[in-house]
Amino acid sequence: MEHLMAIILAAGEGKRMKSKNSKVAHKICGKSLIEWVYDAVSGAGIDETILVVGHRADQVKECMGGRVKYAVQNLQLGTGHAVMQAEEYLRGKEGYVFVLYGDTPLITAETISGCIDLHKKNGNAVTVVTADFDDPTGYGRIVRDEYGNVVKIVEERDASDEEKRIKEINSGLYCFTIRPLLESLKKLTNDNEQGEFYITDTIRILINEGFKAGAMKLENPAEILGINDRVQLYQASELIRKRILEKHMKSGVTIIDPASTYIDEGVKIGIDTVVYPGTIIEGSTVIGEDCIIGPNSRLVDAKVGNGTEINSSVILNSTIGNDVRVGPFAYIRPESVIGNNVKIGDFVEIKKSVVGDKTKIPHLAYIGDAEIGKNTNIACGVITVNYDGKKKSKTIIGNNSFVGCNVNLIAPVEVKDNSYIAAGSTITEEVPEYALAIARERQVIKENWVIKRGMERK
Ligand code: UD1
Ligand code: MG
C-alpha cells in the first residue's frame, strides 16, 4: 500500500519569540500556528500526520489533540534529528512523506499538493520547495550546479561568501519518498557550525547515493514566511487577516474599513451585513444577513440572527435573535439568549439570562440569572439583585409586564405576566398577574422645614 504521510516539526524552543509558551501555540486569527500548518496538510489530502514535539509538548498537544500522532524529541539536536524521532512510524512503509515546520502558517494546501505531484512526476527521492528572496538572510541557500540541478542546501552559518549571495532559499518544506529518506537519515552527521543534525543534508546524501533531488520554486514567497519572532508573527497575521477579510467581502459582506477589522478564521457572516470600523469578531461566531455590526464591537462565539444591529458593544458566547438593537455600550455576557425584535440599549449588562421577543431594556440596567418573557419593558436603572454574597439566585419576569425605573428585584423572585412595578421599588416577594406592586416609602412633606431649621442656603 502506498502511504501519503506528513511530519511536522514543532519541538524547538522558539527562543526568539521571548515567550513562556510554545512558539507554535501562538495564535493568528484565533488559530494556533500549528493548526494553520496542520489544516494545510490535511487540506492537501494527507490524513496521517506525525507531530514531533519537545519543548512545551503539553501545550502543543493541547492545540492538536487526537488529530495527529506524536513523536517526542527530548533534546533538540536539529531538524534531521527531529525527523529521526518519527522513524518508527515510517519503517516498513512504501510511499511519500511531506516534511515541514510548525512555524510556517501561511503555507497552502495547493502548494503542498503541487510539490507532491511534481515529486511523483519526476521520480524524485526528495523535492524541496524554494523561493527567491531579496533578503535571504537567515535562511538555508539552495546550491545548484551549472545545469541548474539542485546539489545541496547550505545553512547560512555554514555558507561560503559566494553561497551567501544566493537568493534562492530553502522554505523548509520537502516531499520525500519514504524508503530513501530512511536510508539517508542513517547517514546524517552533525559536523556543522551548530553541531546539529540537519534534515537539509539529506539532499546531498541522496544525490551522492544516485537518487534524484528536485526543487519547486514558488511564485508567491510570502507563503513560506517562517515565524521566528513577534514581528514575523504580526506580518503573517496581517497576511492571513487580509485573506479572511477578502473572502468575506467576496461573499457579500461589506467591510467599511478592513484596516481596523479583525475576523477570526471560521467566523460566518451572511450577505448584505455591514461591518463598521473597530470591530473584532472571534471564535465560532455566526452572523446572519442584513446586520450592522460595529463600530467598535467585539463578538466572541456569538450567534446573531438577521437584520440585527450591534453598536459599540461586547457579546460573549450568547445568542441574539433577528431585528435586535444592541448598544451603544451594552455588555452581553456568556449564556444569554436574546429573542427577536428586542432592544438592549446603552449601558445594559446582561448575564446568563433569557430575554423574550419584543422586550425592551433600553438603558442602564443589570440583568443577571434572569428569565424575562415577551413584550416586557424593563425601564432605566433596573437591577436584578442576583447575588446575596454567597449564592446566585434567579429572577423570573413574565410577558407583557412593566418594571419601572430604578427597581431592585431581590432574587429569587418572580414577577408574573401583565403586572406593573412602580418606579423605585425594591421587590422581595412575588408580583401577581395584573397587579401593581409598590415597594417604597411614601413621600413625606414637612412644610416650611427649611425656614424653621434656619437651613436657607443664601
Ligand atoms: C530551517 C532550515 C533552513 C530553512 C528555514 C526555513 C534546517 C537545518 N534549516 O532553519 O534551511 O531556510 O528553516 O524557515 O533545517 N525543530 C525541532 N527540533 C530541533 C530543531 C528544530 O523540532 O531539534 C523544529 C522547530 O520547532 C521549527 C523547525 O524545526 O518548527 C525549524 O527550526 P528552526 O530553528 O526555526 O530552523 P531555522 O533556523 O529557521
Ligand atoms: Mg525557523
PDB file of all heavy atoms in Angstrom, residues 68-81:
ATOM      1  N   VAL A  68      -3.462  14.105  15.379  1.00  0.00           N
ATOM      2  CA  VAL A  68      -2.164  13.661  14.848  1.00  0.00           C
ATOM      3  C   VAL A  68      -1.574  12.594  15.765  1.00  0.00           C
ATOM      4  O   VAL A  68      -2.030  12.409  16.887  1.00  0.00           O
ATOM      5  CB  VAL A  68      -1.166  14.851  14.784  1.00  0.00           C
ATOM      6  CG1 VAL A  68      -1.610  15.883  13.763  1.00  0.00           C
ATOM      7  CG2 VAL A  68      -0.987  15.494  16.150  1.00  0.00           C
ATOM      8  N   LYS A  69      -0.536  11.929  15.274  1.00  0.00           N
ATOM      9  CA  LYS A  69       0.243  11.030  16.133  1.00  0.00           C
ATOM     10  C   LYS A  69       1.455  11.829  16.609  1.00  0.00           C
ATOM     11  O   LYS A  69       1.911  12.745  15.920  1.00  0.00           O
ATOM     12  CB  LYS A  69       0.715   9.827  15.343  1.00  0.00           C
ATOM     13  CG  LYS A  69      -0.424   8.980  14.824  1.00  0.00           C
ATOM     14  CD  LYS A  69       0.100   7.627  14.358  1.00  0.00           C
ATOM     15  CE  LYS A  69      -1.019   6.733  13.898  1.00  0.00           C
ATOM     16  NZ  LYS A  69      -1.264   6.861  12.435  1.00  0.00           N
ATOM     17  N   TYR A  70       1.975  11.471  17.768  1.00  0.00           N
ATOM     18  CA  TYR A  70       3.074  12.261  18.312  1.00  0.00           C
ATOM     19  C   TYR A  70       4.378  11.463  18.362  1.00  0.00           C
ATOM     20  O   TYR A  70       4.375  10.275  18.654  1.00  0.00           O
ATOM     21  CB  TYR A  70       2.735  12.732  19.727  1.00  0.00           C
ATOM     22  CG  TYR A  70       1.591  13.722  19.725  1.00  0.00           C
ATOM     23  CD1 TYR A  70       0.276  13.301  19.938  1.00  0.00           C
ATOM     24  CD2 TYR A  70       1.816  15.063  19.477  1.00  0.00           C
ATOM     25  CE1 TYR A  70      -0.779  14.200  19.908  1.00  0.00           C
ATOM     26  CE2 TYR A  70       0.767  15.980  19.452  1.00  0.00           C
ATOM     27  CZ  TYR A  70      -0.528  15.533  19.667  1.00  0.00           C
ATOM     28  OH  TYR A  70      -1.572  16.423  19.631  1.00  0.00           O
ATOM     29  N   ALA A  71       5.475  12.172  18.087  1.00  0.00           N
ATOM     30  CA  ALA A  71       6.808  11.639  18.345  1.00  0.00           C
ATOM     31  C   ALA A  71       7.488  12.667  19.236  1.00  0.00           C
ATOM     32  O   ALA A  71       7.264  13.868  19.078  1.00  0.00           O
ATOM     33  CB  ALA A  71       7.572  11.474  17.033  1.00  0.00           C
ATOM     34  N   VAL A  72       8.275  12.189  20.188  1.00  0.00           N
ATOM     35  CA  VAL A  72       8.876  13.122  21.142  1.00  0.00           C
ATOM     36  C   VAL A  72      10.363  13.267  20.875  1.00  0.00           C
ATOM     37  O   VAL A  72      11.074  12.274  20.702  1.00  0.00           O
ATOM     38  CB  VAL A  72       8.627  12.642  22.592  1.00  0.00           C
ATOM     39  CG1 VAL A  72       9.264  13.611  23.583  1.00  0.00           C
ATOM     40  CG2 VAL A  72       7.131  12.521  22.851  1.00  0.00           C
ATOM     41  N   GLN A  73      10.817  14.501  20.818  1.00  0.00           N
ATOM     42  CA  GLN A  73      12.248  14.786  20.699  1.00  0.00           C
ATOM     43  C   GLN A  73      12.667  15.477  22.000  1.00  0.00           C
ATOM     44  O   GLN A  73      12.383  16.652  22.197  1.00  0.00           O
ATOM     45  CB  GLN A  73      12.508  15.705  19.492  1.00  0.00           C
ATOM     46  CG  GLN A  73      13.982  15.921  19.221  1.00  0.00           C
ATOM     47  CD  GLN A  73      14.239  17.054  18.243  1.00  0.00           C
ATOM     48  OE1 GLN A  73      13.474  18.007  18.166  1.00  0.00           O
ATOM     49  NE2 GLN A  73      15.355  16.987  17.529  1.00  0.00           N
ATOM     50  N   ASN A  74      13.291  14.732  22.863  1.00  0.00           N
ATOM     51  CA  ASN A  74      13.608  15.290  24.188  1.00  0.00           C
ATOM     52  C   ASN A  74      14.707  16.334  24.135  1.00  0.00           C
ATOM     53  O   ASN A  74      14.632  17.356  24.811  1.00  0.00           O
ATOM     54  CB  ASN A  74      13.981  14.176  25.160  1.00  0.00           C
ATOM     55  CG  ASN A  74      12.749  13.384  25.559  1.00  0.00           C
ATOM     56  OD1 ASN A  74      11.694  13.958  25.837  1.00  0.00           O
ATOM     57  ND2 ASN A  74      12.859  12.064  25.524  1.00  0.00           N
ATOM     58  N   LEU A  75      15.749  16.063  23.337  1.00  0.00           N
ATOM     59  CA  LEU A  75      16.811  17.056  23.166  1.00  0.00           C
ATOM     60  C   LEU A  75      16.726  17.581  21.751  1.00  0.00           C
ATOM     61  O   LEU A  75      16.638  16.796  20.809  1.00  0.00           O
ATOM     62  CB  LEU A  75      18.183  16.410  23.379  1.00  0.00           C
ATOM     63  CG  LEU A  75      18.532  16.035  24.814  1.00  0.00           C
ATOM     64  CD1 LEU A  75      19.850  15.281  24.845  1.00  0.00           C
ATOM     65  CD2 LEU A  75      18.593  17.275  25.702  1.00  0.00           C
ATOM     66  N   GLN A  76      16.756  18.882  21.598  1.00  0.00           N
ATOM     67  CA  GLN A  76      16.611  19.454  20.262  1.00  0.00           C
ATOM     68  C   GLN A  76      17.971  19.497  19.565  1.00  0.00           C
ATOM     69  O   GLN A  76      18.697  20.470  19.640  1.00  0.00           O
ATOM     70  CB  GLN A  76      15.973  20.843  20.346  1.00  0.00           C
ATOM     71  CG  GLN A  76      14.458  20.789  20.488  1.00  0.00           C
ATOM     72  CD  GLN A  76      13.966  20.481  21.885  1.00  0.00           C
ATOM     73  OE1 GLN A  76      14.280  21.210  22.820  1.00  0.00           O
ATOM     74  NE2 GLN A  76      13.238  19.387  22.059  1.00  0.00           N
ATOM     75  N   LEU A  77      18.281  18.381  18.887  1.00  0.00           N
ATOM     76  CA  LEU A  77      19.594  18.239  18.256  1.00  0.00           C
ATOM     77  C   LEU A  77      19.532  18.534  16.760  1.00  0.00           C
ATOM     78  O   LEU A  77      20.403  18.120  16.014  1.00  0.00           O
ATOM     79  CB  LEU A  77      20.151  16.831  18.512  1.00  0.00           C
ATOM     80  CG  LEU A  77      20.289  16.447  19.987  1.00  0.00           C
ATOM     81  CD1 LEU A  77      20.809  15.014  20.117  1.00  0.00           C
ATOM     82  CD2 LEU A  77      21.217  17.405  20.726  1.00  0.00           C
ATOM     83  N   GLY A  78      18.498  19.237  16.326  1.00  0.00           N
ATOM     84  CA  GLY A  78      18.419  19.644  14.923  1.00  0.00           C
ATOM     85  C   GLY A  78      17.213  19.075  14.193  1.00  0.00           C
ATOM     86  O   GLY A  78      16.566  18.139  14.669  1.00  0.00           O
ATOM     87  N   THR A  79      16.948  19.656  13.011  1.00  0.00           N
ATOM     88  CA  THR A  79      15.745  19.272  12.262  1.00  0.00           C
ATOM     89  C   THR A  79      15.837  17.833  11.736  1.00  0.00           C
ATOM     90  O   THR A  79      14.821  17.137  11.653  1.00  0.00           O
ATOM     91  CB  THR A  79      15.509  20.244  11.085  1.00  0.00           C
ATOM     92  OG1 THR A  79      16.734  20.394  10.350  1.00  0.00           O
ATOM     93  CG2 THR A  79      15.070  21.608  11.571  1.00  0.00           C
ATOM     94  N   GLY A  80      17.054  17.380  11.415  1.00  0.00           N
ATOM     95  CA  GLY A  80      17.225  15.992  10.954  1.00  0.00           C
ATOM     96  C   GLY A  80      16.987  15.032  12.107  1.00  0.00           C
ATOM     97  O   GLY A  80      16.293  14.010  11.964  1.00  0.00           O
ATOM     98  N   HIS A  81      17.513  15.388  13.266  1.00  0.00           N
ATOM     99  CA  HIS A  81      17.304  14.581  14.473  1.00  0.00           C
ATOM    100  C   HIS A  81      15.816  14.512  14.816  1.00  0.00           C
ATOM    101  O   HIS A  81      15.308  13.463  15.230  1.00  0.00           O
ATOM    102  CB  HIS A  81      18.113  15.197  15.625  1.00  0.00           C
ATOM    103  CG  HIS A  81      18.008  14.452  16.910  1.00  0.00           C
ATOM    104  ND1 HIS A  81      17.192  14.883  17.924  1.00  0.00           N
ATOM    105  CD2 HIS A  81      18.599  13.311  17.347  1.00  0.00           C
ATOM    106  CE1 HIS A  81      17.288  14.041  18.943  1.00  0.00           C
ATOM    107  NE2 HIS A  81      18.145  13.074  18.606  1.00  0.00           N
TER     108      HIS A  81
END
